[in-house]
């Protein structure tokens, strides 16, 4: 496979990932708004409560948090202390960049692995949420998101290590 | 222990994301205690077990959506029509409008970007000194953190496990004190800059133009303070209301802009909640190993009474605020200092207000205050120029923070 074809394949995957991220964020936030306000309407007008609604809202927040974290990784907008960077000489700044990308990638890879263990246990024990839905269906977002964030930071580190042409 | 801490601090200083630093710290700690590291995932899942967090994405989205439309323009026009005739009136307007706006957008820099672009030229045009105007706008960008439903107040309530409604009540007078002292300073500096009063016709026109935004603070604040809405319900109503008004009634934002706005707001939510999720684990580790207890024993050797404690706390918070952003500071530091403060007889609600008020100064403290950078970037001004323009306002705010710290009743008078 030639390098140029591989790049374009990766780029297409990146674009697809971004669309998917945005789509899921819109759907998730939309559901959050509708379920939360629908619940108020039902309770005050019809005196009905949806048993699953509160649990669902909290799970949507978890999903939004992790999707938002993925988006923040893509846009490089996680909260960090960025003071010292601007005072470093060029070479050192590049080294610092690579070190922190690799560090973050390693931490997220570990988080992905341990969340996977958590999900696996939850599946084996047959944990359920929102009535009797398997809990791991909702929890699986954790290992997936952390793995993708790890991938994102690794990619950025490799990008900086590659000699500029 | 010391070796790995130094290593992590170093990584944080070269700009590694704070959530990764906290996660790494928790992993090192738990593995030393030989606890299975899946505990991190279990703790992170706690995000899905904390009902009030539902409010955070909803309020953040509503705030971002409001700042994208023309709501800021209408708000400025209305307050100008109402207060513009006062000496130093436009300065007061800037403070009041920014405080209100920041309460909804959570001091993420949105205020300076959305309102600064309107208010800065208006101030200069009305004869206010450029330097004064720059300092004022930079300062206003984080004013209003103490008013409901600001994100830092909610986050403090979650982390300190104190009732958020009480925090909302406790923030009112200290928040007003900050606005009032700054307005007083604006008045002293600009007694001669009154503009002719707006006619009744302009007032009416401005009210009518803002008729869709005006009910919002009433519904949200009235709903929460009267106990009619839970906080997450008020957030849902706000988000739905703003969505319907901006997209269907006024149609100021195009539908294809919506995914970008959703993404922008959820990037902030994701960044905050990931830090929170990681700190749920690290905090548990610190408490299990008795760190707050040891911290209290250590401080009580040097700090004798509650008053001395508050002095030490204030100095500590001002330094902390200069280094760390408000969200990270809340999730990292609050779990440690609440037990210590309670040990000295400081009310956790009062502590929360002091904490946030002091962190508000952090937005303006050189060299790293966030507002300084945003203002420098937004108004194309040299950063040192922004530092100098902001210093007088910083001092005024410092006075108000000292008053808030040593006058607990100001925070606690409405809290039952």
């Amino acid at each position: 496979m030639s390098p140029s074809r591989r790049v374009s394949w990766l780029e297409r995957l990146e674009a697809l990932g971004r669309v998917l991220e945005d789509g899921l964020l819109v759907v998730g936030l939309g559901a959050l708004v509708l379920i939360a306000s629908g619940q108020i309407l039902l309770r005050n007008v019809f005196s009905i409560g949806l048993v699953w609604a509160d649990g669902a809202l909290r799970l949507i927040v978890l999903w939004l948090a992790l999707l938002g974290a993925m988006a923040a990784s893509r846009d490089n907008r996680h909260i960090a202390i960025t003071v010292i960077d601007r005072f470093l000489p060029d070479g050192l700044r590049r080294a610092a960049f690579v070190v922190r990308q690799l560090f973050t990638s390693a931490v997220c890879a570990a988080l992905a692995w341990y969340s996977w263990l958590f999900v696996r246990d939850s599946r084996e024990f047959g944990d359920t949420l929102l009535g009797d839905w398997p809990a791991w269906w909702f929890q699986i977002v954790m290992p997936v998101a952390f793995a993708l964030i790890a991938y994102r930071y690794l990619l950025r580190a490799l990008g900086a290590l590659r000699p500029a042409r | 222990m010391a070796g790995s801490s130094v290593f992590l601090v170093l990584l944080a200083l070269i700009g590694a994301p704070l959530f990764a630093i906290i996660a790494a710290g928790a992993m090192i700690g738990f593995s030393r205690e030989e606890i299975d590291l899946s505990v991190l995932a279990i703790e992170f899942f706690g995000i899905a077990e904390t009902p009030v967090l539902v409010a955070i994405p909803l309020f953040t989205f509503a705030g971002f959506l409001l700042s994208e439309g023309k709501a800021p323009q209408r708000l400025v026009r209305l307050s100008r029509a109402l207060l513009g005739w006062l000496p130093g009136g436009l300065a007061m307007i800037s403070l009041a409008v920014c405080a209100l706006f920041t309460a909804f957008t959570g001091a993420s820099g949105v205020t300076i970007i959305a309102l600064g672009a309107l208010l800065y030229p208006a101030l200069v045009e009305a004869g206010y000194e450029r330097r004064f105007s720059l300092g004022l706008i930079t300062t206003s960008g984080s004013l209003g953190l103490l008013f409901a439903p600001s994100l830092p107040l909610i986050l403090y309530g979650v982390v300190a496990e104190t009732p958020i409604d009480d925090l909302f009540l406790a923030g009112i007078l200290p928040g007003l004190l900050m606005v009032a002292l700054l307005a007083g300073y604006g008045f002293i500096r600009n007694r001669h800059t009154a503009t002719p009063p707006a006619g009744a016709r302009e007032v009416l026109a401005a009210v009518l133009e803002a008729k869709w935004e005006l009910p919002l603070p009433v519904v949200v604040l009235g709903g929460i303070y009267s106990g009619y809405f839970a906080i997450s319900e008020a957030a849902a109503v706000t988000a739905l209301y703003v969505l319907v008004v901006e997209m269907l009634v006024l149609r100021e934002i195009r539908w294809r802009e919506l995914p970008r706005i959703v993404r922008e707001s959820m990037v902030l939510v994701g960044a905050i909640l990931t830090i929170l999720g990681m700190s749920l684990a690290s905090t548990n580790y610190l408490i299990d190993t008795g760190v707050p207890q040891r911290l209290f024993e250590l401080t009580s050797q040097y700090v004798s009474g509650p008053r001395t404690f508050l002095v030490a706390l204030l100095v500590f918070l001002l330094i902390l605020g200069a280094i760390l952003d408000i969200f990270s500071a809340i999730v990292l530091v609050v779990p440690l200092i609440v037990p210590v403060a309670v040990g000295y007889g400081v009310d956790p609600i009062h502590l929360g207000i002091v904490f946030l008020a002091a962190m508000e100064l952090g937005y303006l403290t050189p060299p790293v205050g966030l507002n300084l950078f945003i203002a420098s970037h937004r108004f194309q001004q040299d950063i040192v120029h922004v530092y100098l323009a902001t210093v007088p306002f910083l001092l005024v705010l410092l006075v108000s923070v000292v008053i808030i710290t040593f006058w607990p009743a100001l925070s606690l008078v409405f809290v039952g």
Side-chain angles (χ1 to χ4, degrees), chain A residues 95-119:
Chain A
F97 179 85
V98 173
V99 167
R100 66 175 187 250
Q101 309 298 319
L102 287 177
F103 165 76
T104 310
S105 181
V107 171
C108 290
L111 285 171
W113 172 249
Y114 289 109
S115 330
W116 164 246
L117 294 185
F118 163 66
V119 173

Side-chain angles (χ1 to χ4, degrees), chain A residues 13-37:
Chain A
L13 201 68
E14 287 286 292
L16 185 71
R18 194 188 172 91
V19 170
L20 210 65
E21 235 167 59
D22 285 0
L24 283 172
L25 282 170
V26 170
V27 171
L29 190 68
L32 195 70
V33 174
L34 289 180
I35 297 174
S37 37

Side-chain angles (χ1 to χ4, degrees), chain A residues 75-111:
Chain A
D75 303 351
N76 206 1
R77 289 195 15 220
H78 271 291
I79 296 175
I81 301 172
T82 51
V83 223
I84 297 188
D85 220 36
R86 58 188 85 217
F87 301 114
L88 289 179
D90 251 10
L92 214 54
R93 186 188 301 158
R94 227 180 86 172
F97 179 85
V98 173
V99 167
R100 66 175 187 250
Q101 309 298 319
L102 287 177
F103 165 76
T104 310
S105 181
V107 171
C108 290
L111 285 171

